[in-house]
Amino acid sequence: MNNFLKQTVASLIGSLLGLFIFCGIGTTGLLLLLFAIAGSQEVKPVVKDKSVVVFDLSMNITDREPSAGEELQKTLSGNDKERITLRKVLDVIEKARQDPKIVGIYLDGTNGAGSNLGFASLKEIRKALEEFRAAGKKVVAYGQDWGKKEYYLSSVADTIALNPLGAIEINGLSSQQMFLAGALQKFGIGVQVVRVGKFKGAVEPFILNKLSPENREQTQKLLDDVWSEWRTTVGASRKINPQKLQAIADDQAILEAPAAKTNGLVDQVAYHDQVVADLKKLTDSDQNDKTFRQINLLEYAQFIKKSLSAEQDSSKKIAVVYAEGEIVDGNGDDEQVGGDRFAKIFNKIRQDKNIKAVVLRINSPGGSATAAEVMQREIRLTHQVKPVVVSMGDVAASGGYWIASDSSRIFAEPNTITGSIGVFGILFNGQKLANDNGITWDVVKTASYADTQTVSRAKSPQELALYQRSVNRIYNMFLNKVSQGRKLPEQKVAEIAQGRVWSGVAAKQIGLVDEIGGLNAAVKYAAKQANLGNDWQLQEYPKESSLNEILFGKAEEASTALKIPGQQVKAANPLTAEFQKLQQELEVFQSMNDPNGIYARLPFNLKIE
């Protein structure tokens, strides 16, 4: 470890020294940065006999590994929020299940912050904990205030303890949308919509003052499915009838500690020190010790060498590609799915003879239709030469489902949000807003549609017809891709599309999903399809940029962009710039329409502005 640390610091000296010279960072700041990075490299801990793995429920759990840039930003900002991948969490639990030194897992819900995961990801962790318990090991959960997500996971425990002043929220699920149509009209902002699919409700906040019947229907069905799965799963663990949980939600909503114990939701009402005392007994710790024999989940993760793979090294690889975030044109950033970047990844995978199968893990609400198609083409070509298996996370809707449609098999959890096969575009104009403030426009053009993209007026019926034609074309392409990929009649796809979102269990019933299962199940299926037996190893994508590239890549691009001799920059229209800024603000409002994260959004990038 010491040699590794020396090599790591030495390799960074040259890059950071260059940054020091280029940006004028003080010597003290440079040294502090080096020490911070060096300090982050910890010596591997020792696992003692009869230890408990401590799982902090407030951890930030994501699909992909953080990039070098994100780690550097975390170091510089002093943000100590821990982050780990879902895959590694599952591997840690499996490793603990097999480790004779580990006797239990402690689900620590005392840090207050709610889970950032959706119910589908929590479902995967629950399954791993159930297998851990089935091996004869204990799971203990303790909390102070549990929301529905935290209790959904914690309910798997053998013993659940709640602080005497704590409470559990069991009040069902809701989705409340905010409607902007009245405000837009008041301020003189015009809105026109082109779309296909009667359930494409993402446009409704801009044109209505309440939910359409179709949108209300799909949202109610989705919530009912997710809530039903919650009641069934929690009820099975706690031996409580789902109908009783519904009655609690209808009549009580928030249960304080005594009521939670009376209703069988917790086993103990206890203080933290009392739970620690019980864990000392489980681990045979000395009662005079400050705490029980334990190891943090993040520390224990350092013992994981091969994720979800066979024990031995192998030249045969299964590629796992994490498509997490909004789908965008170009390369995108670390938190986006860049169409060009991911297309290159699949192109490389397809030509790598050592990669025998691919698992595409999707956690995306969609995005640019163009970017989705760029990716989907490469995925389809890859599927022609080796198995491509899809694992859907919390959401795989719209563009997220577009890239999943042509694959060997699609896995989803019962509460995965999927579908939303539909297309829309929103066109704003500031004509009335401008006119009311004394601003007018006049135009000179060489063709009828030369000023179609202006924000100075509403679109004419002829212009709307042009946009509608583009939307219809993309929608028909979407239907055709799903029909071919899922081997369903196009008429049936048209009936289940219409921009509607489905739960994973409903998606399986209508043929959009093949199997209920998580990432582990998808990897095992890929290995089987490629006839690999136990001789395989995982290889993950995208591979993140190095620290050197993070530090210097963008600076080089910026300096190159400045060296354009004789380049004339066209002056921007200030009103257009302000209106575009307003559009961005409206998008922020739109993102506030779904506080529970269950409403699938598809801002297909049609360049309709």
Side-chain angles (χ1 to χ4, degrees):
M1 176 57 72
N2 289 333
N3 289 334
F4 171 76
L5 181 56
K6 291 177 182 177
Q7 293 171 3
T8 301
V9 174
S11 67
L12 293 176
I13 290 291
S15 298
L16 291 173
L17 185 58
L19 182 66
F20 161 63
I21 296 171
F22 181 75
C23 299
I25 296 177
T27 304
T28 303
L30 177 62
L31 291 174
L32 287 174
L33 176 60
L34 286 173
F35 288 136
I37 294 174
S40 67
Q41 307 295 331
E42 298 179 357
V43 177
K44 183 181 291 186
V46 176
V47 182
K48 298 179 180 179
D49 285 333
K50 294 189 176 182
S51 290
V52 165
V53 175
V54 178
F55 185 167
D56 183 352
L57 298 184
S58 70
M59 280 192 307
N60 183 18
I61 302 175
T62 60
D63 269 358
R64 62 174 182 81
E65 293 280 2
S67 68
E70 289 171 316
E71 289 288 10
L72 179 60
Q73 184 179 15
K74 173 185 172 182
T75 300
L76 293 173
S77 65
N79 179 9
D80 60 354
K81 179 74 172 179
E82 301 289 1
R83 173 170 168 173
I84 189 172
T85 65
L86 174 64
R87 169 193 51 75
K88 189 164 288 187
V89 170
L90 300 177
D91 287 351
V92 165
I93 297 173
E94 174 59 19
K95 169 69 175 176
R97 185 183 70 83
Q98 300 177 18
D99 191 342
K101 293 182 178 180
I102 300 299
V103 296
I105 291 178
Y106 172 49
L107 303 180
D108 182 5
T110 61
N111 288 329
S115 173
N116 65 297
L117 295 176
F119 285 112
S121 296
L122 292 172
K123 181 75 171 179
E124 293 196 54
I125 298 175
R126 267 187 123 269
K127 288 179 182 177
L129 290 171
E130 286 173 351
E131 293 175 2
F132 179 86
R133 282 188 59 188
K137 300 188 176 187
K138 298 296 183 182
V139 177
V140 177
Y142 177 70
Q144 296 171 345
D145 289 291
W146 273 313
K148 291 177 286 289
K149 287 183 179 181
E150 293 74 33
Y151 185 73
Y152 177 77
L153 181 59
S154 299
S155 64
V156 74
D158 297 273
T159 303
I160 303 176
L162 183 62
N163 186 279
L165 291 180
I168 302 177
E169 178 187 71
I170 299 182
N171 58 350
L173 302 175
S174 69
S175 175
Q176 183 177 29
Q177 293 188 40
M178 177 172 60
F179 292 85
L180 307 175
L184 294 174
Q185 184 178 9
K186 177 181 178 181
F187 288 108
I189 301 173
V191 182
Q192 293 170 291
V193 170
V194 286
R195 64 172 173 173
V196 181
K198 61 183 180 179
F199 291 98
K200 259 307 175 191
V203 303
E204 292 185 359
F206 302 100
I207 58 176
L208 301 177
N209 57 18
K210 64 178 182 178
L211 294 170
S212 68
E214 295 82 5
N215 195 9
R216 181 177 296 278
E217 175 190 341
Q218 72 160 347
T219 304
Q220 186 69 60
K221 178 66 168 71
L222 180 59
L223 288 174
D224 287 345
D225 285 349
V226 176
W227 177 236
S228 175
E229 200 281 333
W230 190 98
R231 290 184 295 124
T232 300
T233 299
V234 170
S237 292
R238 298 302 302 169
K239 296 180 173 56
I240 301 174
N241 190 296
Q243 285 72 29
K244 180 179 178 179
L245 290 172
Q246 182 65 49
I248 291 173
D250 289 333
D251 300 333
Q252 300 183 61
I254 298 177
L255 285 82
E256 297 177 346
K261 187 175 187 302
T262 300
N263 284 278
L265 297 171
V266 302
D267 301 293
Q268 299 175 8
V269 175
Y271 291 100
H272 183 256
D273 62 280
Q274 293 174 305
V275 175
V276 169
D278 289 340
L279 289 169
K280 283 182 180 180
K281 294 178 182 178
L282 176 63
T283 57
D284 285 343
S285 301
D286 192 310
Q287 292 302 309
N288 294 321
D289 289 346
K290 291 183 179 180
T291 188
F292 55 94
R293 196 174 296 122
Q294 62 183 262
I295 182 170
N296 182 278
L297 185 142
L298 288 166
E299 294 176 334
Y300 191 66
Q302 295 182 38
F303 290 91
I304 308 296
K305 294 182 179 179
K306 303 178 183 66
S307 302
L308 302 175
S309 67
E311 289 299 322
Q312 69 276 7
D313 290 325
S314 175
S315 60
K316 299 176 183 178
K317 312 293 184 185
I318 296 177
V320 179
V321 183
Y322 296 98
E324 183 178 25
E326 183 180 359
I327 298 173
V328 299
D329 292 322
N331 289 327
D333 60 30
D334 290 331
E335 297 181 353
Q336 296 173 321
V337 183
D340 292 345
R341 180 162 59 108
F342 277 76
K344 291 175 184 176
I345 288 173
F346 272 92
N347 184 283
K348 181 179 180 180
I349 287 173
R350 183 168 69 254
Q351 299 180 53
D352 190 332
K353 295 182 180 180
N354 290 327
I355 296 178
K356 306 301 181 181
V358 187
V359 174
L360 173 58
R361 171 72 173 187
I362 301 173
N363 222 332
S364 172
S368 164
T370 304
E373 176 58 12
V374 168
M375 291 173 58
Q376 204 269 345
R377 171 65 179 173
E378 291 296 332
I379 293 170
R380 184 174 186 178
L381 292 175
T382 304
H383 183 206
Q384 292 174 359
V385 297
K386 58 188 71 176
V388 176
V389 180
V390 168
S391 169
M392 293 180 172
D394 292 322
V395 56
S398 303
Y401 192 78
W402 184 302
I403 64 175
S405 58
D406 197 335
S407 56
S408 305
R409 204 157 188 82
I410 297 178
F411 287 77
E413 293 291 3
N415 32 28
T416 296
I417 300 168
T418 189
S420 194
I421 303 169
V423 187
F424 72 85
I426 302 176
L427 306 113
F428 296 102
N429 76 82
Q431 183 175 19
K432 187 176 185 304
L433 173 65
N435 292 169
D436 289 347
N437 290 277
I439 301 172
T440 59
W441 289 269
D442 203 354
V443 63
V444 177
K445 55 186 179 180
T446 62
S448 301
Y449 298 110
D451 65 336
T452 297
Q453 295 188 9
T454 180
V455 298
S456 65
R457 59 173 176 79
K459 302 297 180 283
S460 69
Q462 293 79 13
E463 289 170 326
L464 286 175
L466 288 176
Y467 288 122
Q468 188 66 54
R469 186 173 66 191
S470 295
V471 168
N472 291 345
R473 175 175 172 271
I474 293 176
Y475 181 66
N476 289 330
M477 286 179 61
F478 204 163
L479 293 181
N480 182 259
K481 287 181 179 297
V482 175
S483 175
Q484 291 186 6
R486 301 300 303 159
K487 296 179 174 56
L488 294 171
E490 194 159 320
Q491 180 58 39
K492 181 179 179 180
V493 176
E495 293 172 359
I496 62 179
Q498 300 296 322
R500 180 165 183 167
V501 290
W502 305 87
S503 66
V505 65
K508 184 177 185 299
Q509 293 170 353
I510 60 179
L512 295 180
V513 166
D514 295 300
E515 286 193 40
I516 298 299
L519 180 57
N520 284 358
V523 170
K524 291 177 182 177
Y525 183 85
K528 182 178 180 181
Q529 286 295 103
N531 298 313
L532 298 180
N534 291 322
D535 182 18
W536 55 271
Q537 193 174 15
L538 284 193
Q539 191 161 298
E540 297 178 300
Y541 297 87
K543 295 181 178 179
E544 303 297 349
S545 302
S546 68
L547 183 58
N548 185 60
E549 292 170 331
I550 293 296
L551 291 175
F552 287 97
K554 293 183 179 178
E556 291 171 357
E557 291 172 7
S559 65
T560 302
L562 292 174
K563 297 175 182 177
I564 310 177
Q567 178 70 36
Q568 293 184 350
V569 180
K570 182 180 178 182
N573 183 329
L575 185 59
T576 300
E578 284 300 312
F579 194 76
Q580 288 174 343
K581 182 179 179 181
L582 176 62
Q583 284 185 273
Q584 294 173 354
E585 292 173 351
L586 288 173
E587 289 174 0
V588 173
F589 278 114
Q590 184 179 13
S591 69
M592 294 169 61
N593 280 325
D594 183 24
N596 286 317
I598 61 91
Y599 186 72
R601 173 175 63 93
L602 176 59
F604 268 119
N605 189 4
L606 299 173
K607 302 299 183 186
I608 301 175
E609 300 178 346

